[in-house]
């Protein structure tokens, strides 16, 4: 939901700042920005000088940009308080000509759209990289290849922050479904259930990511975990696949 994206944006900004990123003027790239560039605009309000929004397919358009702007204006007080910014900063970033086309809106907001994103061909020089509930939708070999390619092109000290949802995303639409239900299926069965690419989740666990990042050339400096204790009891009643 939009609210979860807002919370994720606050988390990324806090983690990157704590890790030493000087937000003012920073160049940041978001992996898998999706339809609504909410977090990129939060980064701009927080001080980022420029944000690169990326995806495999073109999803952002004029309407989704304006929807993101309206959403942030609708949460103006929370954003200003959480990011400790003056109202003038938010107004300066988000005040746009609503009749402008997509390219003009992007430019005026301090965003560059790279689609399709391929770090081997178009990896800009950045100070940080973020993603929000994106990595779980990418096949593991592709994730590792992506991060190896990025490691080869990122300057030493470049930071990354990734928010990953390791639960069964089908439960977002079906509240009666346990958040761990997808762990019941074999890989073969799960592939059949994910024939629609938009429904694919790789089912990697927390430990898988902690092993993947160093293996692909990155050092983990901080980890935060969030556990859904309400769903944990239901996990004990599931018969999990061997893997």
């Amino acid at each position: 939901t939009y609210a979860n994206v807002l919370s994720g944006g606050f988390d990324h900004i806090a983690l990157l700042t704590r890790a030493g990123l000087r937000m003012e003027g920073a160049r940041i790239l978001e992996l898998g920005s999706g339809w609504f560039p909410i977090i990129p605009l939060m980064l701009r309000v927080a001080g980022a000088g420029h944000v690169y929004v990326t995806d495999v397919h073109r999803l952002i358009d004029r309407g989704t940009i304006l929807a993101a702007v309206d959403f942030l204006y609708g949460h103006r007080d929370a954003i200003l308080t959480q990011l400790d910014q003056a109202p003038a900063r938010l107004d300066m970033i988000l005040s746009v000509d609503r009749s402008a086309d997509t390219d003009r809106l992007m430019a005026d907001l301090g965003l560059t759209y790279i689609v399709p994103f391929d770090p081997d061909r178009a990896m800009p020089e950045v100070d940080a990289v973020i993603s929000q509930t994106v990595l779980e939708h990418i096949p593991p070999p592709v994730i590792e290849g992506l991060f190896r390619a990025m490691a080869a092109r990122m300057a030493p000290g470049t930071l990354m922050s990734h928010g990953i949802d390791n639960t069964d995303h089908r439960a977002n639409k079906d509240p009666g479904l346990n958040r761990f239900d997808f762990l019941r299926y074999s890989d073969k069965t799960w592939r059949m259930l994910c024939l629609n690419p938009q429904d694919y989740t790789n089912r990697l666990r927390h430990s898988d990511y902690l092993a993947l990042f160093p293996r692909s050339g990155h050092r983990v400096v901080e980890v935060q975990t969030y556990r859904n204790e309400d769903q944990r009891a239901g996990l004990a009643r599931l018969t999990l696949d061997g893997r």
Side-chain angles (χ1 to χ4, degrees), residues 62-201:
R62 178 177 171 277
T64 64
I65 293 171
L66 293 176
V69 168
D70 291 343
F71 173 80
L72 294 181
Y73 268 125
H75 293 80
R76 173 191 178 97
D77 291 344
I79 291 169
L80 293 176
T81 300
Q82 193 85 359
L83 300 183
D84 192 24
Q85 293 290 335
R89 170 74 187 183
L90 185 143
D91 291 334
M92 180 186 71
I93 297 298
L94 298 183
S95 295
V96 293
D97 177 358
R98 298 183 70 89
S99 66
D101 62 18
T102 302
D103 292 341
R104 175 66 186 277
L105 285 171
M106 282 279 190
D108 289 350
L109 290 166
L111 309 178
T112 295
Y113 200 13
I114 304 177
V115 58
F117 176 61
D118 179 352
D120 287 324
R121 289 192 279 177
M123 181 66 195
E125 185 177 344
V126 296
D127 303 297
V129 174
I130 69 161
S131 73
Q132 180 65 18
T133 61
V134 167
L135 298 188
E136 63 268 31
H137 299 293
I138 305 175
V142 176
I143 300 177
E144 191 156 346
L146 174 67
F147 278 88
R148 285 186 186 278
M150 292 173 63
R153 289 157 181 80
M154 290 162 60
T158 304
L159 294 166
M160 297 200 300
S161 176
H162 300 287
I164 307 169
D165 181 354
N166 293 324
T167 68
D168 189 337
H169 289 23
R170 297 174 305 161
N172 293 331
K173 298 178 181 178
D174 182 357
L177 196 65
N178 186 278
R179 286 276 173 184
F180 306 101
D181 185 81
F182 64 170
L183 300 182
R184 297 189 296 121
Y185 303 106
S186 68
D187 286 338
K188 181 178 180 180
T189 300
W190 185 244
R191 281 194 298 271
M192 294 177 65
L193 292 171
C194 293
L195 290 177
N196 181 348
Q198 296 295 324
D199 292 334
Y200 173 78
T201 50

Side-chain angles (χ1 to χ4, degrees), residues 9 50 61 140 188 218:
H50 199 84
D61 60 24
K188 181 178 180 180
H218 304 271

